[in-house]
Amino acid sequence: MKPLLITPALLSIILLIGSLAMAETIASPSKSPTQNVLEKQGTAGGKSDSSKEAADKRKRREFDRIKNLLDKEQYQQAVDEWEHSRTRDTPPLTWESLAWKLAEAYIQLSRYDDAIKVYQRFYVSVDSLSIMERADIGEELIFGELGARPNKKLIPMGKAQCTLCHRFEKDSHLWAGPNLYGIVRRARALVTEASYLNRSRATAQPEAFPGSGNATTAIEYLAESKVCPSCYITPGTWFHRDDWKESPQPSLQKPPISLTVDEMIAIDTWLFLQEGEQPPSLEAMRAAYDKFLKKEDRAGSFDAIKLAALYDARNDIDKAIRLIEDNYDGVVRQNLTPLSLSPELSPYPSMVDEDLSQWRNDPARFVHLKQNSTIAQRFPHLLRPDS
């Protein structure tokens, strides 16, 4: 039987379905395996499958109960149950939609610091994180939660949607895209090989942008492969054909995935640590993305915009403005760019389009910033309501 040929159009549909399904996924926190990997490569740490499954079900029921209370606007009872659950479980909350609902509940109770605390980790700013914290964020972006791994029953997926096409296990069966187990080691060798150095320039995008050149290090290859997957189409995979000029993998900085550079750096950090290697310096990782991704093409973080709204509710105007300044252009660009991975999907709008229009027309959002006409004029797509 011939393997399924995954075309760009088919992958586009899969990505959209994956994005919608992810919104309903409950990620139950568990122990981070990053330290275990460094201490003992290739061994499974933590609970047995049966005990973890039981703990996951308990956590799911607990989260569902809290979510139902929030939906009913029973804010005090919801946060009381949430805080009680924190006395038993210390891992961070990885379910963004629940964190946002909790933040809004804290706002309703005038507990502004707690609102910011429960939500702030969803805006990924790696400058303030340790290597281990950065790797944990990367793991969440790949698998949706800490401690998750593909098994016979489940292929967990996070915001980055990597597991739609890639596998991360040593003995994984062939999947749509390259197995990313050992990718750092392979990338380091690949950038010196003739197949990469003399790669075809007849693809849909032979360079990330004119003059960007080739990757020369492992971290540069990881950066290039995320932002310009058609620069080099990896041979030996289901989605590779000799006559293909465009990779079916989307550029991760573009809709519908829209990862920020900091989020991609977090993923790279996790990949290095999984192979027992020290990640490059943060400066080197940023330089790799600078080489292949222009500032005007970078994604903004809508999570940062939401966090800015919480700072605005606390009347911390300076912090709110800084977050908006750093992310506004990228978010608006995503907002105004149709989701056009294939002609079949071109009618679909950006996934943040509805969010922006709702926020700028909601009198409860950015109450303090909207009162300042000068600031509102600087960020019209967010702060100036439609007439």
Side-chain angles (χ1 to χ4, degrees):
M1 183 175 65
K2 293 183 179 181
L4 173 66
L5 180 62
I6 298 185
T7 65
L10 177 58
L11 184 61
S12 299
I13 296 171
I14 293 173
L15 283 167
L16 181 63
I17 294 172
S19 300
L20 297 175
M22 231 184 1
E24 300 299 324
T25 300
I26 298 176
S28 50
S30 55
K31 181 180 178 182
S32 166
T34 307
Q35 188 63 48
N36 291 338
V37 171
L38 291 176
E39 293 172 355
K40 193 172 183 180
Q41 291 289 325
T43 61
K47 302 176 181 178
S48 66
D49 288 343
S50 59
S51 62
K52 184 180 186 304
E53 184 176 353
D56 287 349
K57 287 181 178 179
R58 177 184 61 79
K59 182 62 63 180
R60 189 174 294 111
R61 289 194 300 269
E62 190 173 73
F63 280 5
D64 282 341
R65 186 168 60 252
I66 294 172
K67 181 180 180 296
N68 287 336
L69 290 170
L70 292 167
D71 289 342
K72 295 176 182 178
E73 299 184 358
Q74 297 177 8
Y75 301 124
Q76 186 64 63
Q77 188 176 350
V79 299
D80 286 346
E81 290 212 20
W82 162 250
E83 290 171 355
H84 178 68
S85 74
R86 294 295 86 188
T87 64
R88 299 192 309 273
D89 298 294
T90 56
L93 177 62
T94 57
W95 187 11
E96 189 272 344
S97 61
L98 176 59
W100 178 246
K101 286 180 177 291
L102 284 165
E104 290 188 306
Y106 279 122
I107 292 295
Q108 293 296 324
L109 300 173
S110 299
R111 294 175 57 178
Y112 305 111
D113 291 345
D114 290 317
I116 292 168
K117 182 178 180 180
V118 78
Y119 192 75
Q120 62 185 357
R121 73 185 310 273
F122 291 93
Y123 169 48
V124 179
S125 178
V126 296
D127 290 340
S128 60
L129 302 178
S130 68
I131 289 177
M132 300 300 296
E133 291 170 330
R134 201 191 311 162
D136 283 349
I137 294 292
E139 183 173 319
E140 291 174 34
L141 289 165
I142 296 171
F143 299 113
E145 60 176 307
L146 296 175
R149 286 293 187 278
N151 57 41
K152 294 179 180 179
K153 298 180 180 179
L154 177 66
I155 302 174
M157 182 177 67
K159 176 182 177 181
Q161 304 188 32
C162 306
T163 54
L164 279 175
C165 297
H166 298 285
R167 290 295 175 266
F168 294 83
E169 309 84 56
K170 182 177 181 180
D171 299 320
S172 176
H173 59 281
L174 183 63
W175 196 238
N179 186 351
L180 297 186
Y181 181 89
I183 184 61
V184 173
R185 171 183 50 79
R186 297 201 311 274
R188 186 177 293 118
L190 178 65
V191 295
T192 66
E193 294 175 0
S195 61
Y196 175 77
L197 295 173
N198 301 323
R199 68 194 192 191
S200 171
R201 300 291 168 175
T203 64
Q205 190 176 2
E207 287 185 294
F209 56 84
S212 60
N214 291 3
T216 60
T217 63
I219 185 57
E220 286 189 359
Y221 180 79
L222 293 178
E224 182 190 43
S225 64
K226 292 187 192 68
V227 305
C228 182
S230 292
C231 283
Y232 177 71
I233 303 176
T234 308
T237 60
W238 282 12
F239 68 45
H240 178 268
R241 289 202 319 240
D242 290 341
D243 61 339
W244 271 34
K245 298 182 182 300
E246 183 175 6
S247 171
Q249 176 181 312
S251 299
L252 298 191
Q253 78 280 9
K254 296 180 180 180
I257 300 177
S258 302
L259 293 186
T260 66
V261 168
D262 282 42
E263 288 171 328
M264 289 187 277
I265 285 175
I267 291 173
D268 295 336
T269 302
W270 184 86
L271 290 171
F272 271 86
L273 288 185
Q274 287 302 291
E275 297 185 31
E277 296 201 23
Q278 181 72 13
S281 68
L282 190 53
E283 292 76 16
M285 298 178 101
R286 287 203 181 281
Y289 284 94
D290 289 342
K291 180 173 180 176
F292 297 109
L293 186 58
K294 292 181 178 180
K295 290 190 179 350
E296 59 267 27
D297 294 330
R298 300 182 182 197
S301 169
F302 195 75
D303 296 325
I305 301 298
K306 295 167 78 171
L307 182 59
L310 300 179
Y311 278 112
D312 175 88
R314 197 177 71 176
N315 203 14
D316 194 336
I317 301 302
D318 289 341
K319 286 187 178 179
I321 291 176
R322 281 199 296 272
L323 284 168
I324 295 172
E325 284 177 335
D326 291 343
N327 293 276
Y328 175 78
D329 289 341
V331 168
V332 170
R333 188 163 51 247
Q334 294 160 231
N335 172 251
L336 299 179
T337 302
L339 178 57
S340 55
L341 293 174
S342 71
E344 292 89 340
L345 294 181
S346 58
Y348 288 84
S350 164
M351 297 182 72
V352 300
D353 181 58
E354 186 176 358
D355 289 327
L356 273 185
S357 62
Q358 286 179 342
W359 279 52
R360 67 173 174 261
N361 291 304
D362 185 346
R365 303 293 185 193
F366 293 108
V367 173
H368 297 97
L369 289 182
K370 286 177 179 177
Q371 291 175 357
N372 188 317
S373 59
T374 302
I375 294 175
Q377 289 174 3
R378 288 174 60 191
F379 309 111
H381 292 285
L382 181 64
L383 301 180
R384 292 184 63 184
D386 296 335
S387 58

